[in-house]
Amino acid sequence: MERLRSSEEFETLRQHLFSTIRPEIPMVVIPAGTCGQASGAEKLIRTAQREILAKKLQEKVFLRITGCHGFCEMEPSVLIEPYRTFYPELDADGMQRIIHALADGKMVEDLLYFDPSTGEKIEKQDDIPFFRHQSRLLLAKNEKVDPLNIYDYIKNGGYLAFSNVLKNIRPEAVIDEVKRSGLRGRGGAGFPTGMKWKFLADAENKNGKYIVCNADEGDPGAYMDRSLLEGNPHSIIEGMLIGAYATGTDSGVIYVRSEYPLAIKHLTVALKQARHTGLLGTDILGSGFGFDISIVKGAGAFVCGEETALMRSIEGRMGEPRQRPPFPVEKGIYGKPTLINNVETWANIPVIMTNGAEKYTGTGSINSGTKIFSLVGKIKNTGLVEVPMGTPIRKVLYEIGGGQADSTGIKAVQTGGPSGGCIPSSLFEMPISYESFAEAGSIIGSGGMIVMDENTCMIDVAKYFMNFLKDESCGKCFTCRKGTQRMHELLEDISSGKGTMEHLKLMEELAIVMKDTAMCGLGQTAPNPVLSTLKYFKDEYIAHIENKRCPAGVCKALIRFSINENCTGCGACARICPENVIMGEKKERHVIDSDRCSRCGACRSVCKFEAIDVI
Amino acid sequence: MITLTINGLKVQVEEGTTILEAARFLGFPIPTLCHQEGLSPYGACRLCVVEIGEEPKSKLVSSCTYPAEEGLVVRTGSKRVVNARKMIIELLLASCPQSKTIQDLASAYGVRRQRFRQEHEDCILCGLCVRMCSEQMMAKAIGFRGRGKERSVGTPFDVQPDVCRLCGGCMYICPACSLRCTYNEPDKAICNACANLNPPCIQKERFNDLMCYMSPCVACEIDH
Ligand SMILES: Cc1cc2nc3c(=O)[nH]c(=O)nc-3n(C[C@H](O)[C@H](O)[C@H](O)COP(=O)(O)O)c2cc1C
Ligand code: FES
């Protein structure tokens, strides 16, 4: 393939690609992101390929392997275009039947999605509640494109926005458009993106500037950036191209977690294809504008996601944050002005430039646009959900998420990763926005949403995050390093029944000082998990301290297992007990020796008669 | 020149001056642990925090790294600052109670107790030794490694590197252990940095006319 030399040539290529589309032929779309592969998408792909070859269906059924579509709970799943039929949780056998049915123009009814709330089968993906209530500006594209094929992206309108910007729009006008769109950073702090771009455009530097895509996604339970990188890498490249043109930048870096091998592979291929096509490199589309992107693999530390640490890491030094000012736009990588945006922020840029800022602000109330959340934890439909800003949390949890996974109700949802906080169920009517979350003591952050039910101990949650932070703090600044360690120590005391009311007071004092004096965002937000659980679930703390009781039955030192009269004496618990401390005659009620019990809970998970209580 | 207000007093300083330098120029005391004239600012101990800006949007920053800005309003001894400092000193005492420097700080700020689990650490990771070694001694023999709880100071692979001239600068500048070093008994030495570095006097044959930073040097006293 020759490099494209002008926008006209690009248009010719587009028209040519359009002419190759054959919408009448059914297409089997298999999502095979990391999540899909883990649940067995590879097997479906192999089966589909084999079946198509064996039955010589190459001209009757097409196959497309894509990134994650979002409904991870139901993977491995398959989507049939253009009918949009959705088949969840398939096995090789089901795949085979679907291919055969497709060849005859039929549907396999018994494999369709079963809606537990209505008890009916649903045929089309867009009618399934999980999808119906979303606004999938970004995620919907993951269904349309094969990430390893740049032509797929172009066929779906890709790079058109960039080619148009390059030919017809002045850089300042691009920045104005982004400003008017009201887009704010999706990586954590929610800084207005247009404003950041303006700073970089205004920064003078003869030696060049940098733009960076922050793909270090380190929050436990968050994976939307990974899905975007894996499923649609070209949208990020296009976003960066537009950003580079608007700010007059010639080098770009994508800083990816090294734990995301598939994302790195797809990005590498995408960059290579973009260079071959003439959409990256020197003299792009004959305009004289040149820009190239390199990939830097992350150093495996959470703190490297912080922008100043990230820049040092790119330079090959230890990932340690430094004081701002000077801000990255003043003094960035190798001292050159640098702009850092999150993956999702970049992916939003082509959407804005294609549809215009007005349409974008029209999506979402309060803040503009959509936000992808990764919905995980004690919820029925785990997966990636994309909703307009301003959607109430309740809608995300109950209408899209399908409500609690077990019989116990949802107690709270933890948002924003380790820097965020817990939002209790009493605030679920709250609309999703940067401001409302901040008011509730949490943040949107990168978009993790961990759902918790009555079986979750909030002290345990706070302890988990504090443990994460104490290991991930870079250790340079004293209040962050020692503060997280001491906070973890205090939480450990409370969860093991050694806590006093003095502990709570000391925790609050320490939290204020950490927030005030830590240098970077990690330390400043580290007390949030503790503060927000203290704010909304103080009664749980008090139960641990005064009554030496863990209401959720989680903290091992404070609970005891006992067998009630439901016991039929089946002996299942005694067989599984690793400590051999459950005794009893056959067909008679068993007993547990509490002193020697390690509280692993194995007995409880095997008991079919709900005969084991936690007290 | 930049004009800023510190504790209500207007002061003019040159561009690039830090708040700490400006405040000290006016005579306002700000305690520091990881700052030393002649070494680059580092901002690790957070003792030097001051409050900048107007309430309610004011915030605390480390004065040793924060550059003076035009029109900046600074308070070096507000309640918020003092409370933060006291907590930092309490945390220091909880980890490193044997350091004379830290004991002095505690008594100066009236910190009489610490409420955490008592530890006895040898190093507060202020990084003075690391900067001393690389910036003044031009040796870069020691550095940081690890993160979080695992962070420590040491030489590469824990062996004495060739670039180390055994000047003792690292020990001289250490606020946590310099007064307790057992120079000629490295086994008993308490801070990670010097554990790997025998003082020069022990290896007189190799380093006879070295500049030695240790005074008083326990090793020399025993020798004489
Ligand atoms: C401890 C810490 C970790 C962070 N991790 C990430 C991350 O994994 N991904 C990310 O995009 N931003 C992360 N950030 C936020 C970045 O510093 C930065 O604000 C963001 O990348 C800016 O992009 P945006 O304006 O598009 O949001 C982190 C911040 C802190 C303090
Ligand atoms: S003296 Fe400023 S942070 Fe240590």
Side-chain angles (χ1 to χ4, degrees):
Chain A
M1 164 86 214
E2 289 269 300
R3 268 176 75 96
L4 299 171
R5 280 179 309 251
S6 67
S7 302
E8 287 70 35
E9 283 187 20
F10 175 70
E11 191 51 36
T12 317
L13 171 69
R14 262 168 54 83
Q15 295 308 333
H16 168 68
L17 290 175
F18 284 146
S19 70
T20 61
I21 299 178
R22 297 172 65 187
E24 72 286 358
I25 297 189
M27 170 89 77
V28 178
V29 186
I30 307 181
T34 301
C35 43
Q37 292 189 1
S39 50
E42 292 282 356
K43 214 194 262 162
L44 299 192
I45 297 171
R46 248 179 282 130
T47 312
Q49 282 171 338
R50 186 159 16 110
E51 221 40 47
I52 290 174
L53 277 179
K55 298 266 158 34
K56 302 214 168 34
L57 297 172
Q58 288 96 324
E59 288 302 310
K60 281 196 177 152
V61 178
F62 287 169
L63 183 64
R64 187 196 293 139
I65 319 294
T66 68
C68 171
H69 297 182
F71 206 175
C72 309
E73 179 82 32
M74 289 297 151
E75 276 177 347
S77 62
V78 159
L79 172 71
I80 311 293
E81 296 272 38
Y83 318 122
R84 304 203 52 76
T85 324
F86 179 76
Y87 297 106
E89 298 188 297
L90 281 183
D91 53 12
D93 193 39
M95 188 74 242
Q96 210 169 355
R97 289 173 57 203
I98 290 171
I99 301 269
H100 293 172
L102 263 185
D104 304 337
K106 291 203 192 94
M107 189 166 75
V108 188
E109 218 153 295
D110 59 307
L111 292 179
L112 288 177
Y113 177 77
F114 174 82
D115 184 1
S117 57
T118 58
E120 278 171 27
K121 296 242 173 216
I122 300 180
E123 178 196 336
K124 291 198 190 315
Q125 164 164 324
D126 313 288
D127 295 334
I128 295 172
F130 179 80
F131 290 103
R132 195 173 66 216
H133 297 290
Q134 298 187 38
S135 305
R136 296 158 47 95
L137 279 185
L138 304 177
L139 281 177
K141 287 198 201 149
N142 275 14
E143 298 163 7
K144 307 278 181 216
V145 300
D146 174 351
L148 295 175
N149 187 346
I150 188 170
Y151 295 148
D152 248 22
Y153 183 65
I154 295 176
K155 265 189 243 173
N156 283 287
Y159 288 115
L160 182 60
F162 168 64
S163 145
N164 185 33
V165 161
L166 196 59
K167 197 169 155 206
N168 303 323
I169 310 182
R170 282 176 304 108
E172 307 84 68
V174 177
I175 296 182
D176 280 343
E177 189 76 5
V178 175
K179 267 192 183 164
R180 276 195 296 130
S181 76
L183 174 65
R184 291 172 63 173
R186 300 292 194 241
F191 193 83
T193 307
M195 207 136 89
K196 232 191 217 178
W197 286 24
K198 181 90 176 81
F199 291 147
L200 185 73
D202 290 345
E204 276 298 323
N205 198 300
K206 293 178 284 297
N207 302 328
K209 309 173 189 177
Y210 278 101
I211 60 178
V212 177
C213 170
N214 185 348
D216 193 48
E217 199 172 45
D219 293 1
Y223 60 102
M224 47 264 138
D225 291 354
R226 187 190 75 201
S227 289
L228 287 175
L229 290 167
E230 285 174 1
N232 200 358
H234 285 288
S235 67
I236 288 134
I237 298 175
E238 186 178 1
M240 291 181 76
L241 272 164
I242 296 172
Y245 170 75
T247 56
T249 308
D250 60 354
S251 356
V253 176
I254 302 181
Y255 187 88
V256 203
R257 271 187 91 157
S258 58
E259 291 89 341
Y260 286 177
L262 193 66
I264 294 174
K265 178 175 145 199
H266 286 186
L267 266 177
T268 312
V269 173
L271 286 174
K272 205 162 161 187
Q273 289 179 344
R275 259 179 232 126
H276 271 282
T277 322
L279 288 161
L280 265 186
T282 50
D283 193 17
I284 297 170
L285 297 182
S287 66
F289 165 68
F291 176 67
D292 209 340
I293 299 175
S294 55
I295 297 177
V296 175
K297 279 194 231 169
F302 172 65
V303 72
C304 284
E306 201 278 339
E307 50 190 23
T308 56
L310 181 136
M311 294 190 307
R312 284 175 75 112
S313 177
I314 290 176
E315 291 170 2
R317 296 192 284 156
M318 204 164 171
E320 232 172 50
R322 63 159 169 78
Q323 167 111 38
R324 294 171 303 177
F327 287 93
V329 284
E330 296 156 338
K331 197 161 178 272
I333 302 170
Y334 300 119
K336 301 176 195 175
T338 301
L339 165 86
I340 298 165
N341 275 136
N342 169 258
V343 172
E344 203 183 325
T345 317
W346 286 119
N348 268 300
I349 300 293
V351 176
I352 293 172
M353 297 316 289
T354 306
N355 303 339
E358 274 68 40
K359 183 119 188 269
Y360 191 78
T361 37
T363 322
S365 49
I366 315 183
N367 307 129
S368 54
T370 58
K371 174 81 194 94
I372 307 179
F373 289 94
S374 62
L375 197 56
V376 295
K378 308 277 181 68
I379 188 130
K380 249 194 209 109
N381 304 329
T382 56
L384 294 179
V385 302
E386 183 175 350
V387 289
M389 289 284 187
T391 310
I393 301 176
R394 175 175 301 285
K395 185 168 170 182
V396 175
L397 294 181
Y398 290 92
E399 284 172 34
I400 300 172
Q404 63 268 29
D406 310 330
S407 52
T408 55
I410 298 178
K411 177 158 78 175
V413 43
Q414 205 280 350
T415 64
S419 315
C422 295
I423 298 175
S425 57
S426 56
L427 294 180
F428 281 176
E429 290 306 334
M430 195 173 78
I432 292 170
S433 75
Y434 292 102
E435 292 80 14
S436 61
F437 271 45
E439 212 168 290
S442 183
I443 57 169
I444 290 187
S446 56
M449 260 198 193
I450 305 175
V451 181
M452 296 161 181
D453 65 9
E454 295 297 339
N455 291 329
T456 318
C457 168
M458 298 319 264
I459 285 93
D460 195 56
V461 169
K463 202 172 81 178
Y464 167 79
F465 282 112
M466 205 45 77
N467 188 34
F468 177 85
L469 288 165
K470 106 178 183 308
D471 290 341
E472 290 300 330
S473 158
C474 82
K476 171 175 173 179
C477 123
F478 181 72
T479 39
C480 173
R481 169 169 44 92
K482 267 293 157 203
T484 49
Q485 281 173 28
R486 295 303 191 174
M487 196 70 102
H488 182 253
E489 210 173 272
L490 293 171
L491 286 165
E492 211 151 51
D493 275 356
I494 294 177
S495 75
S496 61
K498 285 181 254 161
T500 61
M501 293 310 272
E502 269 296 300
H503 278 70
L504 289 192
K505 191 163 156 276
L506 187 55
M507 263 165 45
E508 274 170 352
E509 272 180 50
L510 181 61
I512 292 170
V513 173
M514 283 167 74
K515 250 183 171 358
D516 264 357
T517 62
M519 174 162 54
C520 83
L522 192 145
Q524 286 162 4
T525 56
N528 282 357
V530 170
L531 287 177
S532 72
T533 45
L534 257 181
K535 183 166 164 191
Y536 298 116
F537 301 97
K538 196 155 193 173
D539 50 333
E540 280 193 36
Y541 278 90
I542 292 179
H544 280 73
I545 292 171
E546 305 251 288
N547 312 337
K548 307 285 175 221
R549 213 173 56 77
C550 174
V554 173
C555 295
K556 281 190 180 162
L558 302 182
I559 55 171
R560 221 154 39 80
F561 288 101
S562 91
I563 297 178
N564 62 30
E565 63 278 6
N566 287 349
C567 179
T568 59
C570 72
C573 53
R575 280 192 296 277
I576 199 149
C577 177
E579 309 287 338
N580 276 327
V581 294
I582 303 183
M583 285 144 298
E585 294 296 317
K586 240 187 201 155
K587 299 209 170 140
E588 275 183 31
R589 186 168 162 185
H590 283 42
V591 284
I592 300 179
D593 179 356
S594 250
D595 293 339
R596 292 191 292 140
C597 167
S598 65
R599 285 133 178 101
C600 67
C603 48
R604 207 157 175 241
S605 60
V606 295
C607 181
K608 293 196 184 77
F609 308 99
E610 295 195 359
I612 297 177
D613 292 328
V614 182
I615 40 178
Chain B
M1 292 298 258
I2 289 172
T3 313
L4 72 162
T5 316
I6 301 180
N7 296 346
L9 284 182
K10 273 209 163 52
V11 59
Q12 278 208 327
V13 292
E14 284 196 21
E15 195 163 347
T17 315
T18 61
I19 297 181
L20 179 71
E21 285 161 343
R24 288 202 169 155
F25 174 74
L26 285 180
F28 293 117
I30 296 180
T32 59
L33 252 185
C34 70
H35 178 267
Q36 184 77 32
E37 239 168 85
L39 299 179
S40 61
Y42 189 55
C45 73
R46 317 309 291 171
L47 251 190
C48 67
V49 284
V50 294
E51 191 171 354
I52 62 168
E54 301 288 353
E55 281 185 316
K57 287 192 97 176
S58 65
K59 58 177 182 179
L60 300 192
V61 296
S62 53
S63 61
C64 65
T65 55
Y66 205 94
E69 289 167 354
E70 186 60 43
L72 197 67
V73 179
V74 180
R75 268 146 298 162
T76 66
S78 66
K79 196 156 185 246
R80 194 164 156 199
V81 169
V82 173
N83 280 346
R85 264 186 214 149
K86 281 187 162 173
M87 177 55 88
I88 295 173
I89 294 171
E90 190 172 339
L91 282 168
L92 284 166
L93 268 186
S95 303
C96 216
Q98 71 278 16
S99 155
K100 171 107 176 19
T101 317
I102 291 168
Q103 289 165 8
D104 287 349
L105 273 170
S107 79
Y109 278 84
V111 180
R112 300 233 148 66
R113 55 166 188 169
Q114 71 83 9
R115 291 165 286 175
F116 301 96
R117 238 179 264 166
Q118 188 65 57
E119 288 172 353
H120 293 275
E121 287 185 359
D122 321 323
C123 179
I124 52 170
L125 298 173
C126 65
L128 279 174
C129 52
V130 176
R131 280 171 287 148
M132 181 76 166
C133 187
S134 75
E135 293 170 16
Q136 289 298 333
M137 298 306 157
M138 307 298 170
K140 289 201 177 149
I142 49 177
F144 286 112
R145 55 217 177 159
R147 64 174 186 272
K149 210 172 159 44
E150 304 301 318
R151 188 176 168 97
S152 64
V153 172
T155 59
F157 306 107
D158 282 327
V159 288
Q160 187 182 315
D162 291 343
V163 287
C164 172
R165 302 191 304 272
L166 300 173
C167 68
C170 50
M171 295 184 237
Y172 164 76
I173 205 160
C174 178
C177 73
S178 63
L179 295 165
R180 283 194 50 195
C181 254
T182 54
Y183 302 116
N184 54 355
E185 287 180 70
D187 302 347
K188 289 195 195 143
I190 52 175
C191 110
N192 290 335
C194 65
N196 303 305
L197 311 171
N198 300 328
C201 45
I202 298 177
Q203 298 187 19
K204 278 212 174 91
E205 322 77 58
R206 272 177 70 202
F207 303 95
N208 42 16
D209 54 308
L210 257 180
M211 168 175 60
C212 181
Y213 257 102
M214 296 171 201
S215 72
C217 174
V218 184
C220 294
E221 275 166 19
I222 294 170
D223 251 16
H224 294 154

